[in-house]
Amino acid sequence: MRKGQITKALSGFYYVTDESKTIYQTRARGVFRNQNLTPLVGDYVEFESSNLTEGVIQNLLDRKNELTRPQVANVDVGIIIMSAIDPGFSTQLLDRFLVMLESKHIEPVIFITKLDLLTEEQRLEMLQYQKDYTKIGYQFILAKESETNKKEQVEKIFRDQFGGKLIVFIGQSGAGKSTLLNTIDGSLELKTGETSKSLGRGKHTTRHVELIPLMNSLIADTPGFSSLNFDDIEAEELTEYFPEMWELRSECKFSGCIHLDEPKCAVKDAVDQHTISQYRYDHYLLFLEEIKNRKPRYKKKGAF
Ligand code: ZN
């Protein structure tokens, strides 16, 4: 049996790339349908094939995570591209992306573009955000201004950190996702362009997903998280996705403290003492509220 990773799905075919970078066209075994399993791009699989075009996937190996849009499994890194201005920088939007990535156990990397358009005052504000997020443990990268320097900067990050990893790009429309990628590799024609303009409500045309090799990593060709709802997250677990709060969990008086009205809450103390940023805590409360007000999820028939 051969092993490989699905790097493209198109019209019922799965294209599996093995260790030697050979690509096999395969189909999924019928039994997956009976088990309600759909192979996804990013899945590691075992397959049989005597030639390059008639393989059969026999086994799906365990996934560490999966996204619904794009439909990709086993994502390692989510690069959040946000512009410093035009559209304006929003810590709330950034925190939304961070929570979504954390909840899927995807490592976030924050990349800020368009810094050249900032006033001195705005630039200082951005440096403060960089400090705040770095303190939490996030990489908060400020894009270099000139194209040549930016190219070197991004290539270095890919070389040093992303070898062998599967990467999804995320971000506001207009933040320059495709521009950034084209900076690294002019031959990349990613659909990351401005497709996210229709954030959450675009036409869901059937599109295929493909992983594109870039400097020893693989990039999903469509941006992640077209919807920004916390549909998969429960109120009690939200604190896990704010690392600076999760770190303090054992210091709250009550186990299972959600840092709301509970007495002797270490997180609220930390906010009072400014060791946790007020705006991060405000976003936590906002997201908690959204999750609590979410319409009850559709229950499967026979659930009661
Ligand atoms: Zn607490």
Side-chain angles (χ1 to χ4, degrees):
M1 196 101 79
R2 300 173 189 275
K3 278 186 182 179
Q5 184 178 31
I6 300 176
T7 47
K8 178 174 162 182
L10 182 63
S11 317
F13 288 107
Y14 298 97
Y15 296 84
V16 179
T17 305
D18 74 1
E19 229 169 55
S20 68
K21 310 279 182 226
T22 308
I23 299 171
Y24 294 84
Q25 178 178 282
T26 69
R27 285 190 178 276
R29 212 158 52 102
V31 66
F32 291 129
R33 194 162 302 161
N34 305 333
Q35 295 170 345
N36 228 343
L37 279 174
T38 311
L40 294 181
V41 167
D43 267 330
Y44 290 97
V45 298
E46 292 178 328
F47 66 104
E48 276 169 353
S49 192
S50 51
N51 57 51
L52 291 178
T53 56
E54 293 169 300
V56 179
I57 296 176
Q58 299 291 351
N59 282 314
L60 295 180
L61 306 186
D62 285 344
R63 289 173 191 153
K64 77 167 180 180
N65 58 39
E66 66 179 84
L67 301 184
T68 35
R69 259 183 266 147
Q71 278 218 306
V72 181
N74 297 318
V75 178
D76 299 302
V77 176
I79 302 183
I80 304 170
I81 302 185
M82 308 242 337
S83 66
I85 194 166
D86 187 32
F89 180 67
S90 157
T91 52
Q92 191 206 118
L93 183 61
L94 174 58
D95 287 344
R96 233 169 246 281
F97 288 133
L98 288 171
V99 164
M100 293 183 136
L101 290 173
E102 292 284 357
S103 74
K104 301 278 184 188
H105 308 288
I106 298 171
E107 182 197 343
V109 173
I110 304 160
F111 195 88
I112 309 291
T113 60
K114 298 193 188 174
L115 289 131
D116 50 322
L117 302 175
L118 296 183
T119 62
E120 192 49 33
E121 194 183 335
Q122 289 168 324
R123 177 178 289 272
L124 290 174
E125 197 183 347
M126 190 54 75
L127 289 174
Q128 184 57 49
Y129 287 134
Q130 186 182 35
K131 251 189 206 162
D132 293 350
Y133 283 95
T134 307
K135 193 175 140 205
I136 301 169
Y138 291 123
Q139 269 198 87
F140 193 103
I141 300 166
L142 304 176
K144 302 265 195 235
E145 283 173 22
S146 90
E147 286 306 308
T148 321
N149 291 346
K150 199 188 292 169
K151 182 173 159 69
E152 275 175 19
Q153 178 188 27
V154 176
E155 281 178 354
K156 182 169 169 20
I157 298 165
F158 269 78
R159 229 181 8 250
D160 295 352
Q161 297 181 38
F162 299 156
K165 296 199 169 163
L166 200 170
I167 298 165
V168 163
F169 280 83
I170 294 158
Q172 295 158 293
S173 70
K177 285 184 291 281
S178 48
T179 320
L180 180 72
L181 287 165
N182 288 332
T183 300
I184 326 174
D185 186 341
S187 66
L188 283 177
E189 273 190 45
L190 293 196
K191 281 172 271 171
T192 52
E194 302 313 327
T195 47
S196 55
K197 240 173 206 155
S198 51
L199 213 60
R201 56 188 61 210
K203 263 191 258 171
H204 302 134
T205 48
T206 42
R207 56 184 172 203
H208 80 280
V209 181
E210 186 168 354
L211 301 181
I212 301 170
L214 179 70
M215 295 182 67
N216 212 19
S217 64
L218 289 171
I219 297 180
D221 69 340
T222 41
F225 300 118
S226 44
S227 145
L228 289 172
N229 305 316
F230 300 119
D231 284 347
D232 298 331
I233 299 175
E234 300 303 328
E236 304 72 40
E237 62 179 308
L238 183 62
T239 177
E240 285 178 47
Y241 310 135
F242 284 78
E244 75 275 46
M245 300 184 192
W246 186 236
E247 206 178 85
L248 293 175
R249 66 190 177 280
S250 61
E251 291 169 41
C252 291
K253 180 164 192 228
F254 294 99
S255 67
C257 182
I258 58 166
H259 327 306
L260 201 55
D261 308 312
E262 298 92 333
K264 299 201 174 163
C265 166
V267 167
K268 279 188 290 174
D269 287 349
V271 175
D272 288 341
Q273 289 155 19
H274 307 292
T275 47
I276 287 181
S277 303
Q278 181 69 47
Y279 64 88
R280 288 273 295 169
Y281 182 65
D282 291 344
H283 297 157
Y284 170 77
L285 294 182
L286 178 74
F287 300 164
L288 195 64
E289 202 56 30
E290 281 180 26
I291 292 170
K292 286 181 166 174
N293 293 336
R294 180 173 63 197
K295 292 200 182 81
R297 265 182 280 179
Y298 182 75
K299 291 229 168 49
K300 278 184 198 155
K301 272 181 193 165
F304 292 104

